[in-house]
Amino acid sequence: MTKIEVNGAVLAYDEVGTGSPVVLLHAGIADRRMWRKQIDVLADRHRVIALDLRGYGESELPPTPFSHHDDVVGLLDALDLPQAALVGCSFGGAVAIDTALAHPDRVSALALFGTAVSGHEWSDQTNELWEDLVGDVDPEDFAATAAGEVRFWVVGPERTPEQVDPELLAFATAMDERALAAELALSAVDVVELNPPAAGRLGELRVPVLVTAGAADVPDIRQLADRIAAEAPQATRLPDVPDAAHLLPLERPTPTNTALLTFLT
C-alpha cells in the first residue's frame, strides 16, 4: 500500500506491474480490496493502480469540498500519467464515467461492471425490492445495515444467501461495514457532483467502453448496462455473467479477467 497527496487529501492505493496504466475504482459498498483477484492478473501487461476513493478504506477525508472525479485526475497528475484506462464497479463505475466526461483527454478507455450512473433515479421496482429484502434498518447500526446491503447487492434479489459463497459474504460484509462508516463521514462533507450528471450525457463518451453486469444483480443495474451500450458511441455490451450479482469482479474473477485482458489489449 502506498499513500500520496491528491487535491489536499492523502489517498491510499496499491500499484503493481508495468505497461499501459489501468486504475481500478471500487464499489460504494467496498474498497480497493475488492480487486484482489484482478490486480496480479492485469499486472502481467499493465501498470495497475487500485485506489481507495477519498474517505473509503485507508484514504483520508479532510473537511473540504471535493469531487471524486477530480481526485482520479489528481492521482494521474501525481503519478505523472497523461492518461489511463478506468475500470469501475458500481459507484466506482459512476466515478469512472464522470471522470471521462469531466476530463475526456485523461481517460483512454472505460470498463464498467455493474455500474451506477450519476443522475440515475432508481426505479419503483428496485425500491420495492429493497423494501421486500431489507426493509427499515437503523442507518447508524452498521452491522444491520451491512447485512441488509449485502443481502440486496451481493446476494441479489433472485438468489438466497445459501446459494452464495459464505467467504464472499463475510468479506463483503466486512468491507461494507467500513464503507458505511465512510459514507456517514462523507455526508458531512461537500461532495461536488458532476453537473450536469452523466445520465443525460452518455452519448458524449468518446472512448471505447466495455460494459457488463451480473445476471443476479438488481434489474436497474442490468438496464443501465443496456442503456450505456445503446448511447455510448464506442460501447461493447457483454452478456450478463451467470450466477453473479453486484460485486461481479470479486464473485466471478475468471470471466471478469478474461473480458478485461481482451478489452484492454
Side-chain angles (χ1 to χ4, degrees):
M1 187 266 290
T2 305
K3 292 192 173 184
I4 194 167
E5 184 170 341
V6 173
N7 298 335
V10 176
L11 304 185
Y13 66 96
D14 297 321
E15 181 177 354
V16 292
T18 57
S20 59
V22 177
V23 178
L24 308 177
L25 301 171
H26 60 80
I29 60 171
D31 53 52
R32 74 183 194 276
R33 292 176 293 169
M34 71 159 286
W35 300 107
R36 62 185 185 177
K37 297 182 179 181
Q38 279 72 53
I39 290 178
D40 289 341
V41 173
L42 294 177
D44 286 342
R45 304 181 188 176
H46 301 279
R47 180 180 177 182
V48 184
I49 300 150
L51 174 68
D52 274 338
L53 292 165
R54 188 184 302 216
Y56 290 89
E58 296 176 278
S59 289
E60 292 184 349
L61 182 65
T64 52
F66 78 99
S67 68
H68 289 296
H69 52 273
D70 287 341
D71 274 358
V72 173
V73 168
L75 176 69
L76 298 183
D77 289 341
L79 297 177
D80 197 25
L81 294 173
Q83 270 193 335
L86 305 183
V87 179
C89 177
S90 185
F91 171 65
V95 173
I97 295 169
D98 287 355
T99 305
L101 291 170
H103 305 279
D105 57 327
R106 306 303 299 276
V107 178
S108 59
L110 293 171
L112 308 169
F113 297 88
T115 192
V117 175
S118 64
H120 171 74
E121 294 188 8
W122 298 109
S123 68
D124 291 342
Q125 180 187 14
T126 293
N127 290 329
E128 289 166 5
L129 282 171
W130 178 270
E131 290 300 321
D132 291 343
L133 294 174
V134 182
D136 293 327
V137 292
D138 181 355
E140 296 185 2
D141 185 341
F142 291 162
T145 304
E149 290 193 341
V150 168
R151 173 65 186 89
F152 186 79
W153 291 112
V154 183
V155 176
E158 299 172 5
R159 301 188 294 183
T160 65
E162 293 72 26
Q163 294 175 292
V164 181
D165 179 5
E167 182 182 349
L168 169 66
L169 295 181
F171 182 48
T173 300
M175 284 196 297
D176 194 25
E177 288 188 19
R178 191 171 186 177
L180 287 165
E183 289 174 354
L184 181 63
L186 283 161
S187 68
V189 177
D190 184 10
V191 183
V192 180
E193 307 291 346
L194 184 69
N195 185 25
R201 302 174 58 188
L202 296 171
E204 297 177 27
L205 292 171
R206 291 293 180 263
V207 295
V209 179
L210 178 75
V211 60
T212 188
D217 208 338
V218 299
D220 273 32
I221 293 296
R222 304 196 307 271
Q223 291 161 12
L224 279 173
D226 292 338
R227 180 176 174 185
I228 293 166
E231 297 183 20
Q234 299 182 59
T236 299
R237 172 72 158 100
L238 295 184
D240 291 341
V241 178
D243 197 25
H246 204 50
L247 294 184
L248 169 58
L250 187 60
E251 186 172 14
R252 296 287 174 255
T254 298
T256 298
N257 295 343
T258 299
L260 277 174
L261 288 170
T262 301
F263 175 69
L264 294 171
T265 299

